[in-house]
Amino acid sequence: MKPLHCALVASLLVASTLSAQTKTIAERLGHPANSKLLIIHADDLGHSHSADAASFDALDKGAITSASIMVPTPWITEVATYARAHPNADLGLHLTLTSEWETYKWGGIAPVDKVPSLYDSTGTFPNDEAIVAARAKPAEAEREIRAQIDRALALGIRPTHLDSHMGSLFTTPDLMATYVKVAREYHLPFLAPRGDPRTPVQPPLRATDPLVDAVIIADRQTPRDGWKAWYLQQVAGIKPGLTELIVHLGYDDSELQAVMVNHEPYGSAWRQRDYDVVNSAEFKKALKDNGIILVTWKELGKLAQQ
């Protein structure tokens, strides 16, 4: 390449990067700068048929715009079948290093002897992200999450983004850096709230990364008898920028009750409430009344390539 041509290409790349830095994500997606963008996202596909069925239904109806998949879990092939039949569905990977339920467990995809720091004494993933933070070696975590991504690809899933089950990969600087490194190498956008105090470990970022400005998720303090009202209040409080609302969907049936026995938070009744809210007329009206624009990770993925 001639020197003049090289200089021209370099100047164009710099100009493109500076343009991306000065424009909001809304503008980069073709919306007014102060738009309220929202991803309505369901976690945990793959761990049960109930969660899969509820999430597929919500995706098909447009009640949610995105979901993410736990590759090591028992119902992954059901999710893969749906993904192959719905290539436009916005499905990411919920990279998994924990197994939180009392009697329903799983391990990973990489050979156990190659990632021993990821396992507990029973031979499965531990039940708490704090254990991952204390024990997981970053190189072994990297080996496992790469194996999960490769397994998804082999099943015909084309992930739109990456995030982390129970936030395990957000717990230490080394794990966060590993997460971002792998996401970039697979050319996938990743969940990383911009300066969120609930995510004290901030990732190594680039100016062009499509980061979310806020994350909304029900927690143990959310009033069970005011579930819908809480969600409507959250929607009313969404500010300009990009927000992700994370829900956990499922049917409160015998399967999910057995999976989540003795675990009320994020359990089967919790997931039924979330399903009922996102499908409700009141929730849909709140989105419209507050001028919310629904977007997907697939759209953000296009920005990540710029």
Side-chain angles (χ1 to χ4, degrees), residues 223-288:
R224 304 328 190 232
D225 59 353
W227 207 255
K228 185 183 294 182
W230 183 86
Y231 273 101
L232 298 181
Q233 182 181 40
Q234 298 304 308
V235 170
I238 290 174
K239 295 179 171 57
L242 176 63
T243 299
E244 177 164 283
L245 170 62
I246 299 176
V247 294
H248 297 81
L249 306 185
Y251 299 122
D252 188 13
D253 56 17
S254 59
E255 181 205 22
L256 211 54
Q257 290 166 17
V259 166
M260 300 174 176
V261 64
N262 297 331
H263 202 300
E264 186 276 333
Y266 302 99
S268 60
W270 179 302
R271 291 167 191 261
Q272 182 72 62
R273 288 194 298 270
D274 271 5
Y275 173 85
D276 292 341
V277 166
V278 297
N279 282 284
S280 69
E282 297 94 324
F283 182 77
K284 294 173 184 177
K285 183 175 185 298
L287 295 174
K288 182 177 180 180

Short mmCIF file of all heavy atoms in Angstrom, two decimals, residues 223-288:
data_model
loop_
_atom_site.label_atom_id
_atom_site.label_comp_id
_atom_site.label_asym_id
_atom_site.label_seq_id
_atom_site.Cartn_x
_atom_site.Cartn_y
_atom_site.Cartn_z
N PRO A 223 -41.01 -5.95 46.72
CA PRO A 223 -42.21 -6.45 47.41
C PRO A 223 -43.00 -7.45 46.57
O PRO A 223 -43.37 -7.15 45.44
CB PRO A 223 -43.02 -5.19 47.68
CG PRO A 223 -42.52 -4.17 46.70
CD PRO A 223 -41.09 -4.51 46.45
N ARG A 224 -43.21 -8.63 47.12
CA ARG A 224 -43.90 -9.68 46.38
C ARG A 224 -45.34 -9.31 46.08
O ARG A 224 -45.88 -9.72 45.05
CB ARG A 224 -43.87 -11.01 47.13
CG ARG A 224 -42.52 -11.60 47.56
CD ARG A 224 -41.35 -11.32 46.65
NE ARG A 224 -40.18 -12.12 47.04
CZ ARG A 224 -38.98 -11.63 47.25
NH1 ARG A 224 -38.75 -10.32 47.13
NH2 ARG A 224 -37.97 -12.41 47.56
N ASP A 225 -45.96 -8.54 46.96
CA ASP A 225 -47.36 -8.17 46.76
C ASP A 225 -47.52 -6.89 45.94
O ASP A 225 -48.65 -6.43 45.71
CB ASP A 225 -48.08 -8.01 48.11
CG ASP A 225 -47.43 -6.96 49.00
OD1 ASP A 225 -46.34 -6.44 48.64
OD2 ASP A 225 -48.00 -6.65 50.06
N GLY A 226 -46.41 -6.35 45.48
CA GLY A 226 -46.47 -5.15 44.64
C GLY A 226 -45.58 -5.29 43.43
O GLY A 226 -44.95 -4.32 42.99
N TRP A 227 -45.53 -6.50 42.89
CA TRP A 227 -44.58 -6.84 41.82
C TRP A 227 -44.78 -5.97 40.58
O TRP A 227 -43.86 -5.33 40.10
CB TRP A 227 -44.74 -8.31 41.48
CG TRP A 227 -43.50 -8.96 40.92
CD1 TRP A 227 -43.25 -9.30 39.62
CD2 TRP A 227 -42.34 -9.35 41.65
NE1 TRP A 227 -42.02 -9.89 39.50
CE2 TRP A 227 -41.42 -9.93 40.73
CE3 TRP A 227 -41.97 -9.26 42.99
CZ2 TRP A 227 -40.18 -10.42 41.11
CZ3 TRP A 227 -40.73 -9.75 43.37
CH2 TRP A 227 -39.85 -10.32 42.44
N LYS A 228 -46.01 -5.95 40.07
CA LYS A 228 -46.27 -5.18 38.85
C LYS A 228 -46.06 -3.70 39.09
O LYS A 228 -45.47 -3.00 38.24
CB LYS A 228 -47.68 -5.46 38.35
CG LYS A 228 -47.98 -4.79 37.01
CD LYS A 228 -49.42 -5.02 36.57
CE LYS A 228 -49.67 -6.48 36.27
NZ LYS A 228 -51.07 -6.71 35.81
N ALA A 229 -46.50 -3.20 40.24
CA ALA A 229 -46.35 -1.78 40.55
C ALA A 229 -44.87 -1.40 40.59
O ALA A 229 -44.48 -0.31 40.13
CB ALA A 229 -47.01 -1.46 41.88
N TRP A 230 -44.03 -2.30 41.11
CA TRP A 230 -42.59 -2.02 41.15
C TRP A 230 -42.03 -1.89 39.74
O TRP A 230 -41.28 -0.95 39.44
CB TRP A 230 -41.86 -3.14 41.91
CG TRP A 230 -40.39 -2.90 42.05
CD1 TRP A 230 -39.76 -2.18 43.03
CD2 TRP A 230 -39.35 -3.35 41.16
NE1 TRP A 230 -38.39 -2.17 42.81
CE2 TRP A 230 -38.11 -2.89 41.68
CE3 TRP A 230 -39.34 -4.13 40.01
CZ2 TRP A 230 -36.89 -3.15 41.07
CZ3 TRP A 230 -38.12 -4.39 39.38
CH2 TRP A 230 -36.91 -3.91 39.92
N TYR A 231 -42.41 -2.80 38.86
CA TYR A 231 -41.92 -2.74 37.48
C TYR A 231 -42.42 -1.49 36.77
O TYR A 231 -41.67 -0.84 36.03
CB TYR A 231 -42.33 -3.99 36.71
CG TYR A 231 -41.37 -5.14 36.85
CD1 TYR A 231 -41.62 -6.20 37.71
CD2 TYR A 231 -40.18 -5.17 36.12
CE1 TYR A 231 -40.73 -7.26 37.84
CE2 TYR A 231 -39.28 -6.22 36.24
CZ TYR A 231 -39.56 -7.25 37.11
OH TYR A 231 -38.67 -8.30 37.23
N LEU A 232 -43.66 -1.13 36.98
CA LEU A 232 -44.20 0.08 36.33
C LEU A 232 -43.45 1.32 36.82
O LEU A 232 -43.18 2.24 36.04
CB LEU A 232 -45.69 0.19 36.61
CG LEU A 232 -46.58 -0.93 36.08
CD1 LEU A 232 -48.05 -0.66 36.42
CD2 LEU A 232 -46.41 -1.11 34.57
N GLN A 233 -43.12 1.33 38.11
CA GLN A 233 -42.35 2.44 38.66
C GLN A 233 -40.96 2.51 38.03
O GLN A 233 -40.45 3.59 37.72
CB GLN A 233 -42.24 2.28 40.17
CG GLN A 233 -41.49 3.41 40.86
CD GLN A 233 -41.39 3.19 42.36
OE1 GLN A 233 -41.17 2.07 42.83
NE2 GLN A 233 -41.57 4.25 43.13
N GLN A 234 -40.34 1.35 37.83
CA GLN A 234 -39.01 1.31 37.20
C GLN A 234 -39.06 1.84 35.77
O GLN A 234 -38.17 2.59 35.35
CB GLN A 234 -38.45 -0.11 37.22
CG GLN A 234 -38.24 -0.69 38.61
CD GLN A 234 -37.36 0.16 39.48
OE1 GLN A 234 -36.26 0.54 39.08
NE2 GLN A 234 -37.84 0.49 40.67
N VAL A 235 -40.07 1.43 35.02
CA VAL A 235 -40.21 1.91 33.64
C VAL A 235 -40.39 3.43 33.62
O VAL A 235 -39.78 4.13 32.80
CB VAL A 235 -41.39 1.21 32.94
CG1 VAL A 235 -41.69 1.88 31.60
CG2 VAL A 235 -41.08 -0.27 32.73
N ALA A 236 -41.18 3.94 34.54
CA ALA A 236 -41.42 5.38 34.60
C ALA A 236 -40.14 6.15 34.92
O ALA A 236 -40.00 7.32 34.55
CB ALA A 236 -42.49 5.70 35.63
N GLY A 237 -39.19 5.50 35.58
CA GLY A 237 -37.96 6.17 35.98
C GLY A 237 -36.81 6.02 35.00
O GLY A 237 -35.71 6.53 35.25
N ILE A 238 -37.05 5.35 33.87
CA ILE A 238 -35.97 5.16 32.90
C ILE A 238 -35.55 6.51 32.30
O ILE A 238 -36.39 7.31 31.90
CB ILE A 238 -36.41 4.19 31.79
CG1 ILE A 238 -36.52 2.77 32.36
CG2 ILE A 238 -35.43 4.21 30.61
CD1 ILE A 238 -37.07 1.75 31.38
N LYS A 239 -34.26 6.73 32.25
CA LYS A 239 -33.71 7.99 31.76
C LYS A 239 -33.18 7.80 30.33
O LYS A 239 -32.98 6.67 29.87
CB LYS A 239 -32.59 8.47 32.68
CG LYS A 239 -33.07 8.83 34.08
CD LYS A 239 -31.90 9.26 34.94
CE LYS A 239 -32.40 9.83 36.28
NZ LYS A 239 -33.24 8.87 37.02
N PRO A 240 -32.93 8.90 29.62
CA PRO A 240 -32.32 8.78 28.29
C PRO A 240 -31.01 8.00 28.35
O PRO A 240 -30.25 8.11 29.32
CB PRO A 240 -32.09 10.24 27.89
CG PRO A 240 -33.17 11.00 28.62
CD PRO A 240 -33.29 10.30 29.94
N GLY A 241 -30.76 7.24 27.31
CA GLY A 241 -29.61 6.36 27.28
C GLY A 241 -30.06 4.92 27.06
O GLY A 241 -31.21 4.68 26.64
N LEU A 242 -29.19 3.99 27.35
CA LEU A 242 -29.48 2.57 27.14
C LEU A 242 -29.62 1.85 28.48
O LEU A 242 -28.70 1.85 29.29
CB LEU A 242 -28.36 1.91 26.32
CG LEU A 242 -28.47 0.41 26.09
CD1 LEU A 242 -29.71 0.07 25.28
CD2 LEU A 242 -27.21 -0.12 25.41
N THR A 243 -30.78 1.25 28.68
CA THR A 243 -31.07 0.51 29.91
C THR A 243 -31.36 -0.94 29.56
O THR A 243 -31.97 -1.22 28.52
CB THR A 243 -32.28 1.12 30.63
OG1 THR A 243 -32.00 2.48 30.99
CG2 THR A 243 -32.63 0.34 31.90
N GLU A 244 -30.92 -1.85 30.41
CA GLU A 244 -31.33 -3.25 30.28
C GLU A 244 -32.19 -3.63 31.48
O GLU A 244 -31.76 -3.43 32.63
CB GLU A 244 -30.14 -4.19 30.17
CG GLU A 244 -30.58 -5.66 30.11
CD GLU A 244 -29.52 -6.62 29.62
OE1 GLU A 244 -29.29 -6.66 28.40
OE2 GLU A 244 -28.92 -7.31 30.46
N LEU A 245 -33.38 -4.13 31.20
CA LEU A 245 -34.26 -4.67 32.23
C LEU A 245 -34.14 -6.19 32.18
O LEU A 245 -34.48 -6.81 31.18
CB LEU A 245 -35.72 -4.25 31.96
CG LEU A 245 -36.79 -4.91 32.81
CD1 LEU A 245 -36.61 -4.58 34.28
CD2 LEU A 245 -38.18 -4.50 32.33
N ILE A 246 -33.62 -6.78 33.26
CA ILE A 246 -33.39 -8.23 33.30
C ILE A 246 -34.53 -8.89 34.05
O ILE A 246 -34.85 -8.53 35.19
CB ILE A 246 -32.06 -8.55 33.99
CG1 ILE A 246 -30.90 -7.93 33.21
CG2 ILE A 246 -31.88 -10.06 34.12
CD1 ILE A 246 -29.54 -8.11 33.87
N VAL A 247 -35.16 -9.86 33.40
CA VAL A 247 -36.23 -10.62 34.02
C VAL A 247 -35.86 -12.10 34.00
O VAL A 247 -34.96 -12.53 33.27
CB VAL A 247 -37.59 -10.39 33.32
CG1 VAL A 247 -38.05 -8.96 33.51
CG2 VAL A 247 -37.52 -10.74 31.83
N HIS A 248 -36.57 -12.87 34.82
CA HIS A 248 -36.36 -14.31 34.91
C HIS A 248 -37.71 -14.97 34.71
O HIS A 248 -38.60 -14.86 35.56
CB HIS A 248 -35.77 -14.67 36.27
CG HIS A 248 -34.42 -14.05 36.50
ND1 HIS A 248 -34.27 -12.75 36.92
CD2 HIS A 248 -33.17 -14.56 36.34
CE1 HIS A 248 -32.99 -12.48 37.02
NE2 HIS A 248 -32.29 -13.55 36.67
N LEU A 249 -37.89 -15.61 33.56
CA LEU A 249 -39.20 -16.10 33.18
C LEU A 249 -39.32 -17.61 33.39
O LEU A 249 -38.34 -18.35 33.26
CB LEU A 249 -39.48 -15.77 31.71
CG LEU A 249 -39.35 -14.31 31.30
CD1 LEU A 249 -39.77 -14.13 29.85
CD2 LEU A 249 -40.14 -13.39 32.22
N GLY A 250 -40.52 -18.04 33.69
CA GLY A 250 -40.81 -19.46 33.84
C GLY A 250 -42.26 -19.62 34.25
O GLY A 250 -42.94 -18.65 34.61
N TYR A 251 -42.74 -20.84 34.18
CA TYR A 251 -44.09 -21.16 34.65
C TYR A 251 -44.00 -21.81 36.03
O TYR A 251 -43.14 -22.68 36.25
CB TYR A 251 -44.79 -22.10 33.67
CG TYR A 251 -44.96 -21.53 32.28
CD1 TYR A 251 -44.42 -22.17 31.17
CD2 TYR A 251 -45.66 -20.34 32.09
CE1 TYR A 251 -44.59 -21.64 29.89
CE2 TYR A 251 -45.82 -19.80 30.82
CZ TYR A 251 -45.28 -20.46 29.72
OH TYR A 251 -45.43 -19.93 28.46
N ASP A 252 -44.85 -21.41 36.91
CA ASP A 252 -44.84 -21.95 38.28
C ASP A 252 -45.50 -23.32 38.28
O ASP A 252 -46.58 -23.53 38.82
CB ASP A 252 -45.57 -20.99 39.22
CG ASP A 252 -45.43 -21.37 40.68
OD1 ASP A 252 -44.58 -22.24 40.99
OD2 ASP A 252 -46.17 -20.82 41.50
N ASP A 253 -44.81 -24.29 37.66
CA ASP A 253 -45.36 -25.63 37.52
C ASP A 253 -44.52 -26.63 38.33
O ASP A 253 -43.56 -26.25 39.00
CB ASP A 253 -45.42 -26.04 36.04
CG ASP A 253 -44.07 -25.96 35.34
OD1 ASP A 253 -43.02 -25.90 36.03
OD2 ASP A 253 -44.04 -25.95 34.09
N SER A 254 -44.90 -27.90 38.25
CA SER A 254 -44.23 -28.90 39.09
C SER A 254 -42.76 -29.04 38.74
O SER A 254 -41.92 -29.28 39.63
CB SER A 254 -44.95 -30.25 38.98
OG SER A 254 -44.96 -30.69 37.63
N GLU A 255 -42.40 -28.91 37.47
CA GLU A 255 -41.00 -29.02 37.09
C GLU A 255 -40.17 -27.93 37.74
O GLU A 255 -39.14 -28.20 38.38
CB GLU A 255 -40.84 -28.95 35.56
CG GLU A 255 -39.38 -29.08 35.13
CD GLU A 255 -39.06 -28.44 33.79
OE1 GLU A 255 -39.82 -27.55 33.35
OE2 GLU A 255 -38.04 -28.82 33.18
N LEU A 256 -40.60 -26.67 37.57
CA LEU A 256 -39.81 -25.56 38.09
C LEU A 256 -39.80 -25.55 39.62
O LEU A 256 -38.80 -25.18 40.24
CB LEU A 256 -40.34 -24.24 37.54
CG LEU A 256 -39.30 -23.13 37.35
CD1 LEU A 256 -38.14 -23.60 36.50
CD2 LEU A 256 -39.93 -21.89 36.76
N GLN A 257 -40.90 -25.95 40.23
CA GLN A 257 -40.93 -26.05 41.69
C GLN A 257 -39.92 -27.07 42.19
O GLN A 257 -39.26 -26.86 43.22
CB GLN A 257 -42.34 -26.41 42.15
CG GLN A 257 -43.35 -25.30 41.96
CD GLN A 257 -44.79 -25.78 42.09
OE1 GLN A 257 -45.05 -26.85 42.64
NE2 GLN A 257 -45.73 -24.98 41.61
N ALA A 258 -39.77 -28.17 41.46
CA ALA A 258 -38.79 -29.19 41.86
C ALA A 258 -37.36 -28.71 41.64
O ALA A 258 -36.46 -28.96 42.46
CB ALA A 258 -39.04 -30.48 41.08
N VAL A 259 -37.12 -28.02 40.53
CA VAL A 259 -35.79 -27.49 40.24
C VAL A 259 -35.36 -26.50 41.32
O VAL A 259 -34.21 -26.49 41.78
CB VAL A 259 -35.76 -26.82 38.86
CG1 VAL A 259 -34.51 -25.98 38.67
CG2 VAL A 259 -35.87 -27.86 37.76
N MET A 260 -36.29 -25.66 41.76
CA MET A 260 -35.96 -24.54 42.62
C MET A 260 -36.46 -24.74 44.04
O MET A 260 -36.75 -23.78 44.76
CB MET A 260 -36.54 -23.26 42.01
CG MET A 260 -35.96 -23.02 40.63
SD MET A 260 -36.69 -21.65 39.73
CE MET A 260 -35.63 -21.65 38.28
N VAL A 261 -36.52 -25.98 44.49
CA VAL A 261 -37.01 -26.31 45.82
C VAL A 261 -36.21 -25.57 46.90
O VAL A 261 -35.01 -25.40 46.79
CB VAL A 261 -36.95 -27.84 46.04
CG1 VAL A 261 -35.50 -28.35 46.00
CG2 VAL A 261 -37.62 -28.24 47.33
N ASN A 262 -36.93 -25.08 47.90
CA ASN A 262 -36.33 -24.39 49.05
C ASN A 262 -35.53 -23.15 48.64
O ASN A 262 -34.53 -22.81 49.28
CB ASN A 262 -35.41 -25.34 49.84
CG ASN A 262 -36.15 -26.51 50.44
OD1 ASN A 262 -37.34 -26.41 50.75
ND2 ASN A 262 -35.47 -27.64 50.60
N HIS A 263 -35.96 -22.48 47.58
CA HIS A 263 -35.21 -21.31 47.08
C HIS A 263 -36.21 -20.31 46.53
O HIS A 263 -36.39 -20.20 45.33
CB HIS A 263 -34.23 -21.76 45.99
CG HIS A 263 -33.08 -20.82 45.76
ND1 HIS A 263 -33.26 -19.51 45.38
CD2 HIS A 263 -31.75 -20.99 45.87
CE1 HIS A 263 -32.09 -18.92 45.24
NE2 HIS A 263 -31.15 -19.80 45.54
N GLU A 264 -36.83 -19.53 47.41
CA GLU A 264 -37.86 -18.58 46.96
C GLU A 264 -37.31 -17.47 46.07
O GLU A 264 -37.88 -17.18 45.01
CB GLU A 264 -38.60 -17.99 48.17
CG GLU A 264 -39.79 -17.10 47.80
CD GLU A 264 -39.42 -15.66 47.46
OE1 GLU A 264 -38.38 -15.18 47.97
OE2 GLU A 264 -40.15 -15.02 46.68
N PRO A 265 -36.18 -16.82 46.44
CA PRO A 265 -35.67 -15.77 45.55
C PRO A 265 -35.31 -16.34 44.18
O PRO A 265 -34.58 -17.33 44.08
CB PRO A 265 -34.43 -15.27 46.30
CG PRO A 265 -34.67 -15.62 47.73
CD PRO A 265 -35.40 -16.92 47.68
N TYR A 266 -35.83 -15.72 43.15
CA TYR A 266 -35.63 -16.15 41.76
C TYR A 266 -36.18 -17.55 41.51
O TYR A 266 -35.78 -18.23 40.56
CB TYR A 266 -34.14 -16.06 41.36
CG TYR A 266 -33.58 -14.68 41.51
CD1 TYR A 266 -32.83 -14.33 42.63
CD2 TYR A 266 -33.84 -13.69 40.55
CE1 TYR A 266 -32.34 -13.03 42.79
CE2 TYR A 266 -33.36 -12.40 40.70
CZ TYR A 266 -32.61 -12.07 41.83
OH TYR A 266 -32.13 -10.79 41.98
N GLY A 267 -37.11 -17.98 42.36
CA GLY A 267 -37.71 -19.30 42.23
C GLY A 267 -38.89 -19.33 41.27
O GLY A 267 -39.12 -18.39 40.49
N SER A 268 -39.66 -20.41 41.32
CA SER A 268 -40.70 -20.63 40.32
C SER A 268 -41.82 -19.58 40.39
O SER A 268 -42.29 -19.10 39.35
CB SER A 268 -41.28 -22.03 40.47
OG SER A 268 -41.84 -22.21 41.75
N ALA A 269 -42.27 -19.21 41.60
CA ALA A 269 -43.32 -18.19 41.71
C ALA A 269 -42.80 -16.84 41.24
O ALA A 269 -43.52 -16.06 40.59
CB ALA A 269 -43.81 -18.10 43.15
N TRP A 270 -41.54 -16.54 41.54
CA TRP A 270 -40.88 -15.30 41.10
C TRP A 270 -40.92 -15.22 39.57
O TRP A 270 -41.27 -14.19 38.99
CB TRP A 270 -39.46 -15.33 41.61
CG TRP A 270 -38.56 -14.17 41.27
CD1 TRP A 270 -38.21 -13.71 40.04
CD2 TRP A 270 -37.86 -13.35 42.22
NE1 TRP A 270 -37.32 -12.67 40.14
CE2 TRP A 270 -37.09 -12.42 41.45
CE3 TRP A 270 -37.79 -13.32 43.61
CZ2 TRP A 270 -36.28 -11.48 42.07
CZ3 TRP A 270 -36.97 -12.37 44.20
CH2 TRP A 270 -36.23 -11.46 43.45
N ARG A 271 -40.55 -16.32 38.91
CA ARG A 271 -40.47 -16.34 37.46
C ARG A 271 -41.85 -16.25 36.81
O ARG A 271 -41.99 -15.64 35.74
CB ARG A 271 -39.69 -17.59 37.01
CG ARG A 271 -38.22 -17.48 37.40
CD ARG A 271 -37.44 -18.78 37.28
NE ARG A 271 -36.14 -18.63 37.91
CZ ARG A 271 -35.00 -18.38 37.27
NH1 ARG A 271 -34.98 -18.27 35.95
NH2 ARG A 271 -33.87 -18.24 37.93
N GLN A 272 -42.84 -16.82 37.45
CA GLN A 272 -44.21 -16.66 36.94
C GLN A 272 -44.65 -15.22 37.03
O GLN A 272 -45.27 -14.68 36.10
CB GLN A 272 -45.17 -17.55 37.73
CG GLN A 272 -46.62 -17.49 37.25
CD GLN A 272 -46.83 -18.19 35.93
OE1 GLN A 272 -46.61 -19.39 35.82
NE2 GLN A 272 -47.26 -17.44 34.91
N ARG A 273 -44.31 -14.54 38.15
CA ARG A 273 -44.67 -13.13 38.28
C ARG A 273 -44.00 -12.30 37.19
O ARG A 273 -44.63 -11.41 36.60
CB ARG A 273 -44.27 -12.60 39.67
CG ARG A 273 -45.11 -13.10 40.82
CD ARG A 273 -44.87 -12.28 42.09
NE ARG A 273 -43.50 -12.36 42.56
CZ ARG A 273 -43.04 -13.26 43.41
NH1 ARG A 273 -43.86 -14.19 43.89
NH2 ARG A 273 -41.78 -13.25 43.80
N ASP A 274 -42.72 -12.55 36.93
CA ASP A 274 -42.03 -11.81 35.88
C ASP A 274 -42.68 -12.04 34.52
O ASP A 274 -42.88 -11.10 33.73
CB ASP A 274 -40.56 -12.23 35.81
CG ASP A 274 -39.66 -11.40 36.72
OD1 ASP A 274 -40.17 -10.56 37.48
OD2 ASP A 274 -38.42 -11.60 36.68
N TYR A 275 -43.03 -13.30 34.24
CA TYR A 275 -43.69 -13.62 32.98
C TYR A 275 -45.01 -12.85 32.87
O TYR A 275 -45.33 -12.28 31.81
CB TYR A 275 -43.93 -15.13 32.88
CG TYR A 275 -44.77 -15.53 31.69
CD1 TYR A 275 -44.19 -15.74 30.44
CD2 TYR A 275 -46.15 -15.69 31.81
CE1 TYR A 275 -44.96 -16.10 29.35
CE2 TYR A 275 -46.93 -16.05 30.72
CZ TYR A 275 -46.33 -16.25 29.50
OH TYR A 275 -47.10 -16.60 28.42
N ASP A 276 -45.78 -12.86 33.95
CA ASP A 276 -47.09 -12.18 33.93
C ASP A 276 -46.93 -10.68 33.72
O ASP A 276 -47.72 -10.07 32.98
CB ASP A 276 -47.85 -12.46 35.24
CG ASP A 276 -48.28 -13.91 35.38
OD1 ASP A 276 -48.31 -14.64 34.36
OD2 ASP A 276 -48.56 -14.33 36.52
N VAL A 277 -45.92 -10.08 34.34
CA VAL A 277 -45.73 -8.63 34.21
C VAL A 277 -45.39 -8.24 32.78
O VAL A 277 -46.03 -7.35 32.20
CB VAL A 277 -44.63 -8.14 35.16
CG1 VAL A 277 -44.20 -6.72 34.79
CG2 VAL A 277 -45.13 -8.14 36.60
N VAL A 278 -44.38 -8.88 32.17
CA VAL A 278 -43.95 -8.43 30.84
C VAL A 278 -45.01 -8.68 29.78
O VAL A 278 -45.01 -8.03 28.72
CB VAL A 278 -42.61 -9.07 30.42
CG1 VAL A 278 -41.50 -8.65 31.36
CG2 VAL A 278 -42.72 -10.58 30.30
N ASN A 279 -45.94 -9.59 30.06
CA ASN A 279 -47.02 -9.86 29.12
C ASN A 279 -48.28 -9.04 29.41
O ASN A 279 -49.26 -9.13 28.66
CB ASN A 279 -47.38 -11.34 29.12
CG ASN A 279 -46.40 -12.18 28.33
OD1 ASN A 279 -46.43 -12.19 27.10
ND2 ASN A 279 -45.51 -12.88 29.03
N SER A 280 -48.26 -8.24 30.47
CA SER A 280 -49.46 -7.52 30.88
C SER A 280 -49.70 -6.27 30.04
O SER A 280 -48.76 -5.63 29.54
CB SER A 280 -49.36 -7.12 32.35
OG SER A 280 -48.38 -6.12 32.54
N ALA A 281 -50.98 -5.92 29.91
CA ALA A 281 -51.35 -4.71 29.17
C ALA A 281 -50.81 -3.46 29.87
O ALA A 281 -50.40 -2.50 29.20
CB ALA A 281 -52.87 -4.62 29.06
N GLU A 282 -50.77 -3.48 31.20
CA GLU A 282 -50.29 -2.31 31.95
C GLU A 282 -48.80 -2.06 31.68
O GLU A 282 -48.38 -0.90 31.54
CB GLU A 282 -50.51 -2.51 33.45
CG GLU A 282 -51.97 -2.64 33.86
CD GLU A 282 -52.43 -4.09 33.94
OE1 GLU A 282 -51.97 -4.92 33.13
OE2 GLU A 282 -53.24 -4.37 34.84
N PHE A 283 -48.03 -3.11 31.62
CA PHE A 283 -46.60 -2.96 31.37
C PHE A 283 -46.37 -2.42 29.96
O PHE A 283 -45.57 -1.49 29.75
CB PHE A 283 -45.90 -4.31 31.55
CG PHE A 283 -44.41 -4.26 31.34
CD1 PHE A 283 -43.57 -3.75 32.32
CD2 PHE A 283 -43.84 -4.74 30.17
CE1 PHE A 283 -42.19 -3.71 32.13
CE2 PHE A 283 -42.47 -4.71 29.98
CZ PHE A 283 -41.64 -4.18 30.96
N LYS A 284 -47.08 -2.96 28.99
CA LYS A 284 -46.92 -2.49 27.61
C LYS A 284 -47.35 -1.04 27.47
O LYS A 284 -46.72 -0.26 26.75
CB LYS A 284 -47.72 -3.40 26.68
CG LYS A 284 -47.17 -4.82 26.62
CD LYS A 284 -48.07 -5.75 25.84
CE LYS A 284 -47.53 -7.18 25.89
NZ LYS A 284 -48.42 -8.14 25.20
N LYS A 285 -48.40 -0.66 28.19
CA LYS A 285 -48.86 0.73 28.16
C LYS A 285 -47.81 1.64 28.79
O LYS A 285 -47.55 2.75 28.29
CB LYS A 285 -50.18 0.86 28.91
CG LYS A 285 -50.78 2.27 28.87
CD LYS A 285 -52.16 2.30 29.54
CE LYS A 285 -52.82 3.67 29.39
NZ LYS A 285 -52.04 4.76 30.04
N ALA A 286 -47.18 1.19 29.87
CA ALA A 286 -46.15 2.01 30.53
C ALA A 286 -44.97 2.26 29.58
O ALA A 286 -44.41 3.36 29.55
CB ALA A 286 -45.67 1.32 31.79
N LEU A 287 -44.58 1.25 28.81
CA LEU A 287 -43.50 1.44 27.84
C LEU A 287 -43.88 2.53 26.84
O LEU A 287 -43.07 3.42 26.53
CB LEU A 287 -43.21 0.13 27.11
CG LEU A 287 -42.66 -1.02 27.95
CD1 LEU A 287 -42.57 -2.28 27.09
CD2 LEU A 287 -41.30 -0.69 28.54
N LYS A 288 -45.11 2.46 26.35
CA LYS A 288 -45.57 3.44 25.35
C LYS A 288 -45.69 4.83 25.96
O LYS A 288 -45.24 5.82 25.38
CB LYS A 288 -46.91 2.99 24.77
CG LYS A 288 -47.45 3.90 23.70
CD LYS A 288 -48.76 3.36 23.12
CE LYS A 288 -49.30 4.28 22.05
NZ LYS A 288 -50.59 3.76 21.48
#
